[in-house]
Amino acid sequence: MLKWLINRAPATAGPLRHVFLPMPERLLEISSASARKPHVASSDVDEFSTIISSLWINQTNKRTARGRLPETLQAISRALPPASQCLRFLDLGASDAVSTYDAVCYFRDERGIPITAHAVDLYTQLHRYDGRFLSEYRTSDGSPVLVRVGRLGLRLGRPLAFRPFEMLRNAYLRTHSVRDRLCDVLAIPLIHPLAAADPDVTVAEADALLDRPEFHDAFNVVRICNLLNRSYFSAAQMETIVGHAVSYLEIGGLLVVSRNETGDDETTERGTVWRREQQGLTWQSDFNGGSELRGLIARFEATQVAEPARIAA
């Protein structure tokens, strides 16, 4: 059966990659090794991000890598007051938090600005559930991600384009008599070891749709990158997330919303920076055309404060 599936998988997709998937346990190996060494090997840095980027959870890809958001950091830097003493930075939808680590390195090490950063993501761990012949990987809330028999795996976190694999995925998810007997045996970190080891980065597993009162007025920069997506959230849900983000900012703090768009082998960061005033948000700058959600976020903009002259990014 497996040979039949591999032979009929789309050739352009590389049929073997449908079943020979990265081993999530490798994330734990890299994290454990990094905890014992002062420096993380560059090959391990890249491998960790590659494995994370292979995961689909609740139809969402955790794509990540170092250096993905340089223009976002530069836009924040341009909007900061000249005499910024310390940044209290919140990253919503931070994935494995390596981009949060990049932000800390940029402001602390390159700009000389002290920074404390909070990285918040809905999924910061995988749990491996074992049975007699197979292992299933789930998130902390029980969402299925991957099932594996030996070295062969099948993604569970999204519908699969190749119909035989999709039929197999659905059939497995319906085998409650098997899945309910699996035992939780291992927790696997989804937080990059560089972020986990940095004392200026704090990671929390939380839902951006839920308000966190302890965050109110606590930050002077809130970044939302590659989270607000119409494929993931309704307009009402995105407004809820933005509303919470605004409440987390102190007066004078910055909100940046951006998204990486890929095309023609190039990735472009598009985003917008706002400043929180007493009356609401005021626009500060766009980069690469600005955020596609500028219209949605307009309801949070101040009605009595004139928009500043546009700044070329």
Side-chain angles (χ1 to χ4, degrees), residues 42-312:
S42 59
S43 59
D44 287 345
V45 168
D46 294 340
E47 184 182 0
F48 194 98
S49 294
T50 298
I51 296 173
I52 292 290
S53 296
S54 75
L55 298 176
W56 284 80
I57 302 175
N58 277 335
Q59 302 189 47
T60 302
N61 181 218
K62 288 182 71 69
R63 184 173 300 167
T64 182
R66 288 214 65 187
R68 289 191 76 216
L69 304 172
E71 294 188 64
T72 301
L73 294 176
Q74 293 163 18
I76 294 171
S77 181
R78 289 192 295 268
L80 287 175
S84 296
Q85 299 298 313
C86 180
L87 292 185
R88 300 180 305 282
F89 188 98
L90 175 62
D91 229 354
L92 292 178
S95 189
D96 68 346
V98 75
S99 291
T100 312
Y101 173 79
D102 283 345
V104 168
C105 292
Y106 176 77
F107 288 108
R108 181 189 63 199
D109 302 337
E110 295 185 30
R111 294 289 315 282
I113 302 174
I115 179 174
T116 58
H118 282 69
V120 175
D121 197 82
L122 186 56
Y123 304 113
T124 63
Q125 279 190 334
L126 282 185
H127 294 264
R128 194 183 80 194
Y129 290 75
D130 282 358
R132 186 174 180 184
F133 300 110
L134 59 82
S135 296
E136 182 181 326
Y137 303 82
R138 305 173 188 169
T139 61
S140 298
D141 64 4
S143 300
V145 177
L146 180 73
V147 63
R148 183 181 295 282
V149 179
R151 288 289 301 173
L152 304 180
L154 184 71
R155 289 189 177 93
L156 303 174
R158 62 161 180 166
L160 302 175
F162 184 48
R163 182 168 175 77
F165 284 129
E166 175 63 5
M167 293 171 63
L168 187 59
R169 184 184 80 95
N170 286 326
Y172 172 76
L173 290 174
R174 291 194 296 267
T175 59
H176 300 293
S177 60
V178 173
R179 299 181 66 223
D180 291 347
R181 291 201 297 267
L182 301 178
C183 297
D184 188 351
V185 298
L186 185 67
I188 299 171
L190 299 180
I191 298 303
H192 200 287
L194 289 173
D198 196 294
D200 292 322
V201 177
T202 300
V203 177
E205 185 171 85
D207 189 343
L209 285 165
L210 302 180
D211 187 29
R212 294 177 66 94
E214 71 273 21
F215 282 178
H216 288 179
D217 305 309
F219 300 94
N220 49 22
V221 178
V222 175
R223 182 173 70 174
I224 312 176
C225 294
N226 297 309
L227 174 66
L228 300 178
N229 190 316
R230 299 184 194 277
S231 299
Y232 306 155
F233 300 107
S234 67
Q237 288 175 319
M238 289 192 287
E239 287 187 358
T240 295
I241 293 171
V242 172
H244 293 329
V246 172
S247 73
Y248 300 156
L249 281 169
E250 65 180 21
I251 300 302
L254 301 175
L255 171 68
V256 58
V257 177
S258 72
R259 181 179 177 186
N260 285 34
E261 296 185 350
T262 303
D264 298 328
D265 298 324
E266 292 185 355
T267 299
T268 302
E269 295 173 69
R270 287 187 55 193
T272 298
V273 181
W274 291 266
R275 189 181 307 279
R276 185 188 178 190
E277 309 286 0
Q278 289 286 356
Q279 302 93 334
L281 296 176
T282 58
W283 176 91
Q284 298 297 297
S285 67
D286 291 333
F287 50 97
N288 294 323
S291 171
E292 63 183 17
L293 300 175
R294 175 84 191 273
L296 181 143
I297 298 174
R299 68 179 296 267
F300 297 96
E301 294 183 352
T303 57
Q304 300 177 10
V305 178
E307 181 176 276
R310 289 190 171 267
I311 305 169

